[in-house]
Amino acid sequence: MAERSEVLEQEAVRDASPGYSVEAGSVSAEDVPKGYKRTEVGVMPKDWEVRNLGELCYFENGDRGSNYPSPGSFVLDGIPFVNAGHIKDGRIYLDKMDYITEDKYERLGGGKVKTGDILFCLRGTLGKYGVVESNFGRAAIASSLVIVRTKHNIIHREFLAIYFASNFCDRMIDKWAGGAAQPNLGAQDLKRFTICFPSLQEQRAIATALSDADALIEFLDRLIAKKRAIKQAAMQQLLTGQTRLPG
């Protein structure tokens, strides 16, 4: 299933960008194809830019001062106070969410999220991220996260999210997180991350192609789960004699 998923995504990317035919890791140092260039993140098309995230995004830490909510100040219902444990696979989950009061939220001097923000994990499981969707509403972040806000005329949010989920980002984490027993990053480290990207139009095409591939994978996963349930029911009936095989 994983191999099939990779094939689907590669085919989708090629369909979205006909000129995309060379993988970064597939070329030797002596053999850079025509129309491509070698960069610190691999072999990329010549018309793609190579820049640091600090040039492409705004970053905002949470309020780490005296107004930072303590565990004892959380309430059952209020404004979400998002930490790394609430983020998985690019999404923010309300399961087991911590909430703060309106008054606590208003006192915070920073770390208030907006629609379209990406929340990136700086401690714990480095590199986890979650996109703030349009229906999420108000929220604030814990100190383990940083808000990444794209400059829309340069980098597309969905393309940046794809980058955060890629091996390219993993390499940057290994480079800047340090070798401590419990590695961590700061917003200044994240600003140094290198990213290679095409025009906004091609960024959107890549994001659409991979989104379509994800939708297909989710459909196939649901289909497999349904078939497994049918098999389980058949096993139950066959092993108890409720259903008899012919002959």
Side-chain angles (χ1 to χ4, degrees):
M1 182 65 190
E3 294 178 359
R4 175 61 178 161
S5 298
E6 291 179 5
V7 171
L8 288 170
E9 291 189 5
Q10 290 170 4
E11 290 177 348
V13 171
R14 285 196 293 270
D15 290 341
S17 178
Y20 185 96
S21 59
V22 180
E23 295 182 17
S26 65
V27 190
S28 67
E30 299 79 20
D31 186 24
V32 177
K34 184 178 180 180
Y36 287 77
K37 61 185 176 183
R38 180 168 295 282
T39 73
E40 65 177 281
V41 293
V43 175
M44 298 289 176
K46 280 188 175 180
D47 60 338
W48 286 32
E49 292 189 58
V50 181
R51 296 169 74 171
N52 295 330
L53 289 187
E55 303 175 73
L56 307 173
C57 307
Y58 304 104
F59 297 83
E60 183 176 340
N61 288 310
D63 187 333
R64 300 177 183 180
S66 59
N67 291 320
Y68 191 86
S70 64
S73 67
F74 294 140
V75 293
L76 294 177
D77 188 30
I79 297 174
F81 189 70
V82 186
N83 64 45
H86 304 133
I87 292 176
K88 183 179 179 182
D89 299 330
R91 298 178 181 177
I92 304 169
Y93 292 88
L94 293 176
D95 300 347
K96 300 180 180 179
M97 177 61 68
D98 298 322
Y99 295 94
I100 57 176
T101 63
E102 181 82 25
D103 181 60
K104 283 280 185 183
Y105 175 80
E106 292 298 332
R107 290 183 183 181
L108 292 175
K112 298 177 181 180
V113 306
K114 297 179 181 179
T115 296
D117 286 347
I118 298 177
L119 310 185
F120 189 89
C121 183
L122 298 174
R123 290 199 293 277
T125 307
L126 299 182
K128 283 202 305 181
Y129 72 94
V131 177
V132 181
E133 301 294 348
S134 58
N135 60 349
F136 193 78
R138 293 182 300 169
I141 59 168
S143 59
S144 57
L145 302 174
V146 64
I147 294 171
V148 184
R149 194 167 290 149
T150 60
K151 298 177 181 179
H152 297 290
N153 61 334
I154 303 177
I155 195 81
H156 195 261
R157 182 194 70 175
E158 280 72 21
F159 185 85
L160 181 60
I162 292 167
Y163 168 80
F164 283 147
S166 73
N167 290 332
F168 296 109
C169 183
D170 291 340
R171 294 174 199 165
M172 291 293 106
I173 291 173
D174 291 340
K175 179 177 181 178
W176 295 109
Q182 293 183 328
N184 62 82
L185 293 164
Q188 294 302 317
D189 299 315
L190 197 55
K191 289 179 180 180
R192 299 186 183 100
F193 280 28
T194 305
I195 181 173
C196 194
F197 60 95
S199 66
L200 277 171
Q201 181 179 0
E202 190 169 355
Q203 289 178 45
R204 294 188 186 97
I206 291 170
T208 299
L210 293 178
S211 177
D212 290 345
D214 283 339
L216 177 58
I217 292 168
E218 288 181 14
F219 170 77
L220 293 175
D221 285 342
R222 289 195 300 270
L223 183 61
I224 290 171
K226 181 179 179 180
K227 297 297 184 184
R228 283 177 176 159
I230 292 172
K231 177 188 173 184
Q232 192 67 32
M235 287 173 58
Q236 178 69 21
Q237 292 180 346
L238 288 168
L239 293 176
T240 57
Q242 297 177 48
T243 297
R244 308 296 297 276
L245 295 177

